[in-house]
Amino acid sequence: MSFPKYFQDFNNIKYSISTNKAGIPSYINIKDYFHLLRVRDDIFKEDTLYTEYYIQNGERPENVSYKVYGDEQYYWVLLQINDITDYYNQWPLSSSELEKFILKKYGSWSHATETHHYETVETLDDNGNLVIPGGIVVNSDYVHIYPNKPGSGEDVVELSSFPVPVSNVEFEQRNNERKSNIVILKERFITDYVREVYIYSQSLKVQNSEVSISDNFR
């Protein structure tokens, strides 16, 4: 991944790592990364600022940044506007990475193909009315009984809707697929976005961290 330029304009801080017996702290200089910015909800809902993007197999944030903005350095913008704070768990795995993950998590492919849960199937009556939506997690013995033509009187036939099993593999694949659907800031707004982050970084005061004196007496 590219050098994290997001933090380059933030101040350094003196981070206290210990104190001597006189209570005098020892410091190291680190980048002030204790600021998690998020896009305001009212701005995020503005459709004119964003467009949907589907992450291709094996694409990393810097790959998407280069494809969209012509520069890898804006990968942090993609992570920020999608509220991704944990890249390893919130960014989709490639197909080969996903296979390795599933095998490690479930121990073997036989266990991976076992049932993870049961869920409903979307069901319509004869009039095309939705009886039960699909994808609702239910017990394995769940049964939904409904009339084929509600309110039609004498010739109503009762039908049943049963759940279907979802394997561990399918569950993990779906979860990974959901992560692949993100939004991206439209290219014409990237300069304004970066400038606003820069203005924010310059408004921060230089700070020092402290170590409690009680740390000396443990």
Side-chain angles (χ1 to χ4, degrees):
M1 184 174 288
S2 304
F3 179 77
K5 294 185 178 180
Y6 170 68
F7 292 108
Q8 70 179 1
D9 295 317
F10 284 73
N11 295 319
N12 290 325
I13 62 174
K14 290 184 177 180
Y15 188 80
S16 181
I17 56 174
S18 64
T19 58
N20 60 25
K21 295 188 179 299
I24 300 174
S26 296
Y27 294 99
I28 59 173
N29 288 320
I30 65 171
K31 184 62 66 175
D32 186 1
Y33 57 83
F34 301 99
H35 299 278
L36 176 61
L37 299 184
R38 299 180 65 183
V39 180
R40 281 168 32 198
D41 288 340
D42 57 331
I43 294 178
F44 187 78
K45 295 174 182 176
E46 290 289 337
D47 293 337
T48 56
L49 297 178
Y50 305 97
T51 185
E52 294 181 350
Y53 184 87
Y54 181 82
I55 300 169
Q56 301 299 313
N57 181 37
E59 275 191 325
R60 295 165 59 88
E62 64 268 30
N63 302 140
V64 179
S65 175
Y66 185 80
K67 181 186 294 186
V68 176
Y69 306 119
D71 195 322
E72 292 184 347
Q73 69 166 305
Y74 300 121
Y75 72 88
W76 60 268
V77 176
L78 300 173
L79 300 178
Q80 198 167 79
I81 65 176
N82 287 282
D83 202 22
I84 297 176
T85 57
D86 183 351
Y87 167 77
Y88 295 101
N89 290 307
Q90 293 178 275
W91 191 265
L93 300 173
S94 67
S95 56
S96 60
E97 290 172 335
L98 181 59
E99 288 182 5
K100 292 177 182 177
F101 170 80
I102 292 173
L103 185 58
K104 181 178 180 180
K105 181 174 181 178
Y106 296 100
S108 67
W109 282 111
S110 60
H111 288 154
T113 56
E114 292 174 354
T115 299
H116 183 275
H117 66 271
Y118 289 82
E119 62 182 39
T120 57
V121 177
E122 181 178 292
T123 305
L124 306 177
D125 63 25
D126 287 356
N127 294 328
N129 300 312
L130 179 65
V131 175
I132 183 170
I136 300 174
V137 177
V138 293
N139 293 328
S140 60
D141 58 354
Y142 174 85
V143 179
H144 183 78
I145 300 175
Y146 63 96
N148 65 327
K149 294 182 179 180
S152 61
E154 300 178 355
D155 298 327
V156 173
V157 177
E158 286 193 343
L159 304 176
S160 302
S161 177
F162 299 92
V164 294
V166 176
S167 69
N168 292 319
V169 172
E170 188 175 1
F171 171 77
E172 298 297 345
Q173 289 173 335
R174 287 182 185 180
N175 190 39
N176 200 61
E177 181 75 10
R178 282 192 292 270
K179 297 175 185 178
S180 297
N181 293 292
I182 63 172
V183 295
I184 57 175
L185 185 70
K186 292 181 178 178
E187 184 180 5
R188 64 179 180 272
F189 298 118
I190 189 66
T191 300
D192 294 333
Y193 191 97
V194 173
R195 183 177 63 248
E196 289 299 315
V197 172
Y198 171 77
I199 292 173
Y200 170 77
S201 70
Q202 297 305 294
S203 70
L204 298 174
K205 296 180 180 179
V206 177
Q207 302 183 57
N208 294 338
S209 72
E210 301 295 338
V211 173
S212 171
I213 193 171
S214 61
D215 291 342
N216 297 315
F217 303 101
R218 291 178 181 174

